[in-house]
Amino acid sequence: QVQLVESGGGLVQAGGSLRLSCAASGSIFSINTMGWYRQAPGKQRELVATITRGGSTNYADSVKGRFTISRDNAKNTVYLQMNSLKPEDTAVYYCDALLVSVSDTLRHYWGQGTQVTVSS
């Protein structure tokens, strides 16, 4: 029942900005932490940023000062504002939610991913 849907990916020039959104829907009881991960071709999936229900954030060193994660608890939505994009930011970005559904215990749910491509 739980679904995470990302949006906002696309092609942008180096130095540009992009804003990703991820909306969680379905039979959700509560959402603890939401976050963004990314995976470039041939590389492992890596953490980009996370945000707790109370608003505490955590960022990968590579994106600190450039990316900002935020969330709207009322909308079950997490955002990732990406500024000063670099070619090395090119990856598929995945939304993650650590949540409890009405029928299952606490676990991670993942979106389908959205492609972000930064040209040089």
Side-chain angles (χ1 to χ4, degrees), residues 6 20-22 35-37 47-49 69 78-80 93-95:
E6 301 102 331
L20 306 183
S21 299
C22 172
W36 292 93
Y37 293 73
L47 179 144
V48 177
I69 189 170
V78 63
Y79 307 92
L80 185 67
Y93 283 70
Y94 295 91
C95 175

Side-chain angles (χ1 to χ4, degrees), residues 18-113:
L18 213 56
R19 184 176 176 85
L20 306 183
S21 299
C22 172
S25 62
S27 54
I28 298 169
F29 181 78
S30 64
I31 302 177
N32 288 19
T33 302
M34 302 186 80
W36 292 93
Y37 293 73
R38 67 187 182 187
Q39 187 167 24
K43 295 186 176 181
Q44 300 284 341
R45 184 176 298 188
E46 65 176 353
L47 179 144
V48 177
T50 61
I51 183 167
T52 68
R53 181 167 49 210
S56 297
T57 58
N58 183 49
Y59 296 93
D61 288 342
S62 59
V63 307
K64 287 180 180 177
R66 301 188 298 119
F67 291 10
T68 302
I69 189 170
S70 61
R71 65 188 285 176
D72 186 332
N73 291 334
K75 297 181 179 179
N76 288 338
T77 299
V78 63
Y79 307 92
L80 185 67
Q81 178 66 46
M82 304 184 292
N83 298 326
S84 302
L85 283 162
K86 305 174 180 179
E88 50 262 46
D89 295 319
T90 295
V92 177
Y93 283 70
Y94 295 91
C95 175
D96 165 72
L98 181 62
L99 61 82
V100 178
S101 73
V102 298
S103 60
D104 205 356
T105 53
L106 184 71
R107 76 171 183 89
H108 288 273
Y109 291 80
W110 296 89
Q112 80 286 351

